[in-house]
Amino acid sequence: MTKFDKFIMVDWSARSKPSAQRPEADAIWIAVDDDVTYHRTRAAAEAALIDLLDQAAADGDCILVGFDFAFGYPAGFAKGLIGRDDAKGVWAWLADAITDSPDNANNRFETADRINASFPGTGPFWGRVKTRGDLPALPWGKDGRGGFGLAEHRMTEEQAKGAKTVWQLMGNGAVGSQVLLGLPLLHRLSQRFGACLAVWPFEQADNQQIVVAEIYPSLINTMVTEAGGIKDAAQVRLLAAAFAEMQTRGTLGEAFAAAPDRPQTHQEGWILGAGVTHALRSAAQAAAHPDLHPPTLSDNCFALPPGVAWIPVDTALTRLRTALTPVVGTENIPLDQATTRIAACTHLAQRANPPAPNTAVDGYGFAYQSASDAGRHVLPLVAGQAAAGQPWPGTVPDGHAIRILTGAVLPSGVDTVILQEDVTCTDTHIVFEGPVKAGANTRKAGEDFFDQTPLLTAGQRLRPPDIALLAAAGCAQVEVFQSLRVGILSTGDEIVQPGHATRPEHTHDANRPMLLGLIRSFGHQAVDLGHVADDRDVLRDMFDRAMADVDAIMTSGGASAGDEDHVSALLQAEGHLTAWRIALKPGRPLALAQWQGKPVFGLPGNPVAALVCTLIFARPALSTLSGGPWLTPQAFHVPAAFDKRKKPGRREYLRARLNTDGEAEIFTSEGSGRISGLSWADGLVELSDGELHITPGMPVRYLPYTGFGL
């Protein structure tokens, strides 16, 4: 599609006299990218707009122009007015019929009265000063209208919460007058710029220098409120910035593609951004806060208070939780790709569920008063039936019934349904015993949730049930945090890869494959950084090269303070390192550092200790860095199936599993070199910091692997 160089958004007005000299609301505002100008009359605004488009055309710029009025009327209007389904023909007809003076004086009410007189019934337009008795076909209120055979709203307005009907010419929020006075402008622009200009979706928006589209500023009202100032000016400025941001993100094409390719669309038009409102709001949010970036961690975020040596587990967790913030940005992705991703904002329902009252059973629908009394009821059947996806278009008269199938929208005149098993029916009538409860076997509109109901909050990891909820709510796109990229690095001269020939002094690398699997099970993106020998220059080079590909690094080995602990030595000399000695068994040394502003978790080299430190410390820390919540492990109190004495001073985690009686038994050896115990176990028993003597049957705190997502 066209790549736009400028974004021009116009807030139109239907005033019958010039706006005040001092800028005010309900006037005409034109935003050209971030520059907003105020115009007192439609004639002045049109002249300014033409100058802008002439200059842009001369400069070779491609321009997206948005107007905040409907580009068409509900399907059938054009044929009723000009004899054919041609929206552009309506523009031409209105351009001839409407007189709009330089001082904003106009004949829109007379034109609406003339149009109403050409349609059967009363309407469709309504809204005028009560004393205008010279407009016999134009009712002042909406009551009593009918028989004109047109819908109240266009199809696109189902995607735009709060959109007013195009038929209302006066009153709070009325938009009908703007449409009557705006469509002649579209005709004049089309005539002036010819093939260089396309009005979307009536014409293709590809490779045109000027593309004109309908906008609805209320789609981004939350951001407009935050922006402050005159609302109309803020709306067009933020919309221009939002569409520019969508183009940068590559989602503007989705906004154009959201318009259904149906004949109805080409009669009624479509609001640019309807159907992808979440992507539009996300772009507007970014435009409203251009300096809002994921915060970086402070250089001393892992620092300990002076004099602190041994750190209790709870203190270490609290310090981590306080120090860390998200380090990833956000992105909009299709819903079907969002499982396991973390929501970056509160997601709102795009429509109610169910969107309209419907039936929960197969049966017969009627008005409640038709069967409110006890005794035998005989109701004649109307022709046809209502089915899911196939609504019955008419109104069921009082005292009549209609065949209705599960999931069908309740036709007008129906508020109660009786099960088909409870009636006797013929081709023309049904018979049943009353009374029937009012509203029986029906679902109310919004019974599950209403349009704009908050569904999921920021920080929630999306599961398949959450995806189902968002899909039911009409959310095609979701804003999520970008996946946290966690680099996994093994260090040490003694480490070799599984399957390679070894000597007695070699150790197979159990940590890196374990940690890569853990990171994936946590829902993050695992980046394999391989293995580095005890060479500080090579290690430095590895850290430097990894910075472009990771958001955090986890190393195993070399995290203590010995001569061969090159990880901690390098981080101490050239990064920002705090070596935490945690009152924990297994896993006392934990190096927390930063390299070029990115966090580094230096784990012990022993796989048992590495696993425990990852589950207890790294898992909640990484969740916070990824935009998720601080995670507390799931725990249960179960009877012990062992005897153990524990000294005070350290918290201990024992490899454990539940036996057939639901008791926690522990691995035969507490030696941290016994890796087989990790696989034997299905969880950990946590023993508190103080002195303990556990005897069989005593309750102990059990943390299942499944509670860690394993």
Side-chain angles (χ1 to χ4, degrees), residues 452-491:
Q452 301 300 298
T453 296
L455 301 176
L456 301 172
T457 57
Q460 182 168 342
R461 188 173 294 279
L462 301 177
R463 308 160 300 167
D466 304 319
I467 300 300
L469 174 62
L470 292 172
C475 300
Q477 298 277 124
V478 289
E479 184 177 359
V480 296
F481 284 102
Q482 293 170 341
S483 294
L484 185 74
R485 302 166 301 168
V486 184
I488 304 299
L489 176 67
S490 291
T491 67

Side-chain angles (χ1 to χ4, degrees), residues 51-293:
D51 286 345
L52 287 170
L53 297 180
D54 281 342
Q55 184 60 53
D59 293 341
D61 289 338
C62 291
I63 313 143
L64 176 63
V65 186
F67 290 98
D68 72 332
F69 55 78
F71 284 10
Y73 288 96
F77 175 79
K79 191 166 187 177
L81 181 66
I82 62 175
R84 64 186 187 278
D85 290 327
D86 179 8
K88 295 183 70 175
V90 172
W91 307 348
W93 189 95
L94 287 173
D96 288 337
I98 291 284
T99 57
D100 197 359
S101 301
D103 63 354
N104 274 356
N106 61 82
N107 68 337
R108 67 184 188 274
F109 294 110
E110 291 82 359
T111 301
D113 180 76
R114 176 183 167 189
I115 294 172
N116 278 3
S118 69
F119 278 83
T122 303
F125 290 103
W126 62 276
R128 60 167 173 82
V129 177
K130 285 187 177 181
T131 56
R132 290 290 303 268
D134 59 324
L135 303 172
L138 180 63
W140 73 269
K142 63 181 178 180
D143 293 340
R145 293 163 61 248
F148 47 83
L150 299 171
E152 282 296 305
H153 290 89
R154 300 176 299 151
M155 181 170 57
T156 186
E157 285 150 5
E158 297 175 4
Q159 305 282 342
K161 179 178 173 60
K164 294 283 188 178
T165 173
V166 292
W167 307 127
Q168 183 181 353
L169 303 181
M170 284 188 66
N172 184 37
V175 297
S177 291
Q178 286 177 258
V179 181
L180 285 175
L181 298 175
L183 293 181
L185 171 62
L186 291 188
H187 176 72
R188 291 191 290 272
L189 292 177
S190 295
Q191 294 294 107
R192 179 183 181 87
F193 292 98
C196 293
L197 181 146
V199 181
W200 177 85
F202 308 101
E203 298 159 325
Q204 290 295 319
D206 295 332
N207 303 316
Q208 246 66 36
Q209 191 170 15
I210 303 170
V211 175
V212 180
E214 178 184 342
I215 58 175
Y216 182 57
S218 292
L219 291 177
I220 60 166
N221 261 354
T222 302
M223 278 62 71
V224 170
T225 301
E226 294 175 2
I230 296 176
K231 181 179 179 181
D232 301 338
Q235 283 179 328
V236 290
R237 178 178 61 81
L238 277 179
L239 268 176
F243 287 126
E245 175 68 17
M246 289 182 75
Q247 178 169 268
T248 299
R249 295 182 177 189
T251 58
L252 185 57
E254 296 172 10
F256 283 99
D261 187 15
R262 303 179 191 170
Q264 186 175 353
T265 308
H266 296 281
Q267 295 180 50
E268 299 183 341
W270 191 264
I271 297 166
L272 185 62
V276 291
T277 52
H278 187 71
L280 177 63
R281 289 168 184 162
S282 173
Q285 182 73 32
H289 303 284
D291 298 324
L292 186 61
H293 300 290

